[in-house]
Amino acid sequence: DHIEPSEALEDIAVLESMGRSTRTQRVLRRPGDADSVINIKLYRRGEPLKLSKVIPPLEHLGLSVVQEA
């Protein structure tokens, strides 16, 4: 995936704003994506997220996980 510099700067701003928090998330739409496409970014400090724990609740809400970037 190609990440635009502006999006990378937004990621840095999110990370810097986390303070002592160990996790946060963003939901966003990228220009050109279909109306049915959303992107969820999960940020975590410390141990990595276990996708096997994150994905099932999203699928239970009716979301389909298409790609991990």
Side-chain angles (χ1 to χ4, degrees):
D1 258 347
H2 174 73
I3 304 298
E4 293 295 326
S6 59
E7 188 173 338
L9 289 172
E10 290 172 11
D11 289 341
I12 292 168
V14 169
L15 293 168
E16 288 178 343
S17 71
M18 285 177 61
R20 293 182 177 261
S21 179
T22 58
R23 62 185 175 199
T24 191
Q25 70 282 327
R26 281 179 44 202
V27 177
L28 57 115
R29 292 186 185 273
R30 291 192 175 111
D33 281 350
D35 289 343
S36 61
V37 174
I38 62 169
N39 294 277
I40 300 173
K41 287 191 169 195
L42 304 172
Y43 302 85
R44 180 172 173 118
R45 290 186 187 177
E47 296 180 31
L49 287 169
K50 293 182 180 177
L51 292 178
S52 61
K53 291 191 178 220
V54 173
I55 299 211
L58 295 174
E59 290 178 332
H60 182 71
L61 292 171
L63 298 172
S64 295
V65 178
V66 177
Q67 176 183 352
E68 175 199 358

